[in-house]
Amino acid sequence: MSVLARTGRVARPRHRRAGVDVAPAQPLLVVAGCHGGAGATTVATLLQPAIDIGVVADWPRYAATRGFAGRPLVLVARGTVQAVTVAGRVTAAANAAQVHPAGLVVVADGPLPEPRGVTQRLRLLAAHTPVYRLPYVTRWRYVTDPLHGGIPAPLAAAATAARSALNAEGDIHP
């Protein structure tokens, strides 16, 4: 069982340098929801170090914000047809403003299989930006603080894989 599955905290890999454990630097991700209720705050917590900036409506202004320059942008959407359609429009608007998202995280909206319309739209979106899926967590419907008490193993594995891919992606906007 991994440290993440036992404690609910992401285990930070360590390297030995001059006899001292040093955590490798990970880029601070900028996480933006494509729509309200996308799950951007939870995704930002799962992908630490990350900052949740909410829903961005003005991409040219975002592109001009110095604090975000050089940081990978991660968009977040729910796994519904409507939300993924909005994610396509948000991705296009960001690209038009010369902001190229490092990835789109899609949060499953329920325990049932992904709707065919979502799968088809995400296949089209994947041609423009990498898509990462996070599974639905049923017990989170019944608790006030979803991340308290540990992160389920399937979600932890998906979040770790997304974070690793985002680190390797290196698609950093201007």
Side-chain angles (χ1 to χ4, degrees):
M1 180 181 280
S2 73
V3 172
L4 180 60
R6 281 195 318 266
T7 66
R9 293 190 197 108
V10 176
R12 298 205 40 162
R14 300 226 175 255
H15 299 287
R16 304 275 302 160
R17 184 174 69 198
V20 178
D21 280 341
V22 177
Q26 289 184 321
L28 176 71
L29 298 175
V30 177
V31 178
C34 291
H35 53 84
T41 302
T42 301
V43 169
T45 302
L46 290 170
L47 299 180
Q48 286 297 322
I51 181 171
D52 171 18
I53 62 168
V55 177
V56 176
D58 186 353
W59 285 106
R61 183 173 173 206
Y62 171 88
T65 304
R66 288 195 173 282
F68 301 137
R71 302 198 187 284
L73 172 68
V74 178
L75 299 175
V76 181
R78 285 279 179 209
T80 66
V81 174
Q82 179 188 20
V84 173
T85 301
V86 171
R89 287 195 300 261
V90 168
T91 302
N95 283 323
Q98 300 303 309
V99 176
H100 305 290
L104 170 66
V105 173
V106 179
V107 180
D109 73 320
L112 298 174
E114 184 175 87
R116 187 169 153 198
V118 170
T119 304
Q120 292 170 337
R121 283 170 173 79
L122 289 177
R123 190 174 302 128
L124 293 172
L125 267 171
H128 303 284
T129 188
V131 174
Y132 308 98
R133 290 174 168 85
L134 295 184
Y136 179 75
V137 180
T138 302
R139 74 177 166 89
W140 283 3
R141 296 183 76 200
Y142 306 100
V143 299
T144 56
D145 182 3
L147 296 176
H148 182 75
I151 299 169
L155 178 62
T160 300
R163 180 58 161 156
S164 295
L166 288 163
N167 286 348
E169 184 67 30
D171 187 3
I172 298 177
H173 60 86

